[in-house]
Amino acid sequence: MGSIRQEVQLAFRYSVHFTNAVFDPPNPVLRDVIADGTDHLPSKIVAVVDDGVHVCHGGLLKQIDNYCAHHEQVLRLAAPPLIVPGGEQVKSDSRHVEEILGVINDAGLCRHSYVIAVGGGAVLDVAGYAAATAHRGIRLIRVPTTVLAQDDSGVGVKNGINAFGKKNYVGTFAPPFAVINDFSFLTTLSDRDWRSGISEAVKVALIRDAAFFGFLERNASSLANRDMTAMRQMIRRCAELHLLHIAKSGDPFELGSSRPLDFGHWAAHKLEQLTDYDLRHGEGVAIGIALDSTYSYLAGFLPERDWQRIMELLPAVGLPVYAPELGSQNLLHGLSEFREHLGGKLTITLLRSVGEPFDIHEIDGTIMVRSIELLKERSTVDELSAQLPLKG
Ligand SMILES: NC(=O)c1ccc[n+]([C@@H]2O[C@H](COP(=O)([O-])OP(=O)(O)OC[C@H]3O[C@@H](n4cnc5c(N)ncnc54)[C@H](O)[C@@H]3O)[C@@H](O)[C@H]2O)c1
Ligand SMILES: [Zn+2]
């Protein structure tokens, strides 16, 4: 009879580094991250590499090999790097998790060893899930290779794979050991993947930093046109705001229902699913931001001028604000799926102004449908004006 109450506190620390050419032997960042991690050197490593990165960076596996040989007193490759498919397909087939776990097991990694995951957000999610569950947690070093993974997913504390037709249904909260953002990987991204990650920067600016939103407006065309200096600045500030939220919001493992970092994401996840993942996560997020901003405006919370700024910035950085699937009968199911995922009552983040979010617990279906219609009208107007021969 009776009960025992106990509080367990645990602090997580991890660093996010910014560099170029991480696997160039003279680059000390990875070596130092590992050397600082333990007294028992060399540490064993298993590398998981995104096939899309492998194809575009022909010498990468050799470079990883050379890097480890050059720093053999600190890190040792315990198995040849494992190449896995890039993109959403890797998250939708659980055999890839088993494959990674098999390599970790065969290589005899312990909880002081490292999985180094090199790739886009999807590969980082799968490798992160495998690392978090092998031995109940092997150290994970993420080397994100897309804009989205560098400014958002790769610096956070979550991993996951898709199951039962639902995105990220299986996964854990597991902070990485370290993150190394290597800008030189970004040069080989497709234009779509370059631009997709800008939507997470727009999101975090809208919920946290009006001045950063101004930066994005001023640099919209440089960002859309692959200016690396502007992109480096954007990624750094976005990652910093993301990390500040995780560290200071008081809810890093999302135990409550408020999710400002998921602004625009209920519709994004549903659109990704409805398009069979043809839509990139970042493209879905852009449309989701447009939708929830338009709802905020039509419901009388967001001033028209702020709404206009958002609706101008998204296309200016090359992001969509509409997809035909927004009209699907199924779209609004995304709200109940989001509620089920959060637990508790539905909590959707909306805007009062650029930089000022708030939570709401009920969505008016009529206003949501009007928001979708307004986005459709605007996208038609934008498409028509883009076809005008004299458009400046
Ligand atoms: N864990 C989280 O907190 C979190 C947060 C946001 C998003 N995500 C997830 O991230 C995923 C999206 O990630 P993403 O936008 O990085 O795209 P992605 O991982 O789907 O990759 C897109 C494509 O780019 C290729 N690629 C990756 N790096 C490349 C490079 N440097 N050069 C050429 N091609 C390259 C990949 O092979 C793939 O074909 C989604 O599954 C999403 O759910 C996770
Ligand atoms: Zn996202």
Side-chain angles (χ1 to χ4, degrees):
M1 303 285 265
S3 47
I4 298 173
R5 287 184 184 274
Q6 185 65 57
E7 182 173 310
V8 179
Q9 289 200 352
L10 190 56
F12 292 96
R13 286 182 192 85
Y14 62 95
S15 45
V16 177
H17 304 266
F18 300 87
T19 190
N20 280 305
V22 60
F23 296 115
D24 200 9
N27 187 324
V29 176
L30 175 60
R31 181 203 62 201
D32 291 351
V33 161
I34 290 177
D36 290 346
T38 177
D39 299 332
H40 303 288
L41 295 170
S43 293
K44 280 190 185 177
I45 282 172
V46 157
V48 178
V49 178
D50 185 320
D51 188 40
V53 183
H54 167 64
V55 167
C56 292
H57 297 261
L60 179 62
L61 301 191
K62 186 84 194 121
Q63 272 175 26
I64 295 177
D65 220 17
N66 287 346
Y67 191 88
C68 293
H70 191 81
H71 300 287
E72 62 182 0
Q73 271 128 28
V74 177
L75 60 165
R76 187 166 71 73
L77 263 189
L82 174 67
I83 298 169
V84 294
E88 206 62 31
Q89 54 172 317
V90 76
K91 287 177 65 169
S92 299
D93 182 347
S94 60
R95 279 175 301 186
H96 295 298
V97 176
E98 282 159 35
E99 193 185 7
I100 299 169
L101 286 172
V103 173
I104 291 173
N105 177 51
D106 292 345
L109 292 202
C110 70
R111 286 170 44 81
H112 289 247
S113 313
Y114 297 84
V115 171
I116 301 189
V118 184
V123 167
L124 300 185
D125 268 354
V126 176
Y129 178 58
T133 47
H135 286 302
R136 299 199 179 98
I138 288 181
R139 297 172 174 188
L140 171 71
I141 298 178
R142 299 197 193 113
V143 179
T145 59
T146 63
V147 171
L148 188 129
Q150 294 198 357
D151 74 2
D152 186 271
S153 77
V155 301
V157 294
K158 296 186 274 187
N159 57 57
I161 59 170
N162 308 332
F164 309 112
K166 291 178 185 163
K167 225 177 127 69
N168 303 327
Y169 190 76
V170 178
T172 72
F173 285 89
F177 186 83
V179 181
I180 304 177
N181 274 342
D182 177 346
F183 296 123
S184 55
F185 280 117
L186 305 181
T187 54
T188 54
L189 285 174
S190 67
D191 283 344
R192 273 183 87 182
D193 286 306
W194 172 276
R195 291 170 183 177
S196 280
I198 302 175
S199 59
E200 302 283 4
V202 175
K203 171 199 78 180
V204 85
L206 284 171
I207 60 154
R208 284 286 173 267
D209 188 350
F212 185 42
F213 192 86
F215 166 89
L216 296 173
E217 288 178 318
R218 287 190 304 280
N219 290 277
S221 101
S222 314
L223 288 166
N225 294 306
R226 303 192 71 131
D227 178 298
M228 192 56 104
T229 307
M231 184 51 89
R232 277 201 300 260
Q233 286 174 287
M234 186 205 86
I235 287 173
R236 200 185 165 104
R237 182 61 182 151
C238 183
E240 185 173 41
L241 288 166
H242 195 102
L243 286 162
L244 271 174
H245 177 86
I246 291 169
K248 306 284 180 201
S249 69
D251 192 17
F253 288 0
E254 299 176 352
L255 300 173
S257 297
S258 176
R259 297 276 184 86
L261 283 183
D262 275 351
F263 177 57
H265 274 57
W266 72 266
H269 287 158
K270 193 69 200 170
L271 286 170
E272 284 178 83
Q273 197 194 82
L274 287 172
T275 59
D276 220 2
Y277 299 103
D278 275 349
L279 207 62
R280 294 281 196 261
H281 176 72
E283 293 167 341
V285 170
I287 298 168
I289 289 172
L291 182 59
D292 286 356
S293 302
T294 303
Y295 184 97
S296 304
Y297 161 57
L298 290 182
F301 301 116
L302 182 69
E304 182 169 6
R305 177 71 201 115
D306 288 44
W307 174 68
Q308 287 287 5
R309 286 177 70 190
I310 300 166
M311 295 307 295
E312 281 162 21
L313 176 60
L314 291 167
V317 292
L319 287 167
V321 293
Y322 180 77
E325 288 76 7
L326 270 181
S328 158
Q329 294 288 333
N330 281 329
L331 183 87
L332 294 185
H333 288 169
L335 282 171
S336 44
E337 285 172 13
F338 193 61
R339 178 191 357 232
E340 179 191 313
H341 172 67
L342 293 173
K345 54 181 174 175
L346 177 69
T347 306
I348 297 288
T349 300
L350 296 179
L351 297 174
R352 281 194 208 289
S353 66
V354 167
E356 197 189 345
F358 71 102
D359 282 344
I360 201 163
H361 303 289
E362 264 174 42
I363 290 290
D364 180 325
T366 314
I367 301 180
M368 190 53 83
V369 170
R370 275 177 50 217
S371 305
I372 292 169
E373 284 165 2
L374 185 51
L375 289 182
K376 184 175 181 187
E377 276 166 32
R378 279 190 71 110
S379 77
T380 316
V381 171
D382 286 350
E383 270 165 33
L384 286 175
S385 65
Q387 287 163 13
L388 289 178
L390 292 178
K391 188 169 181 279

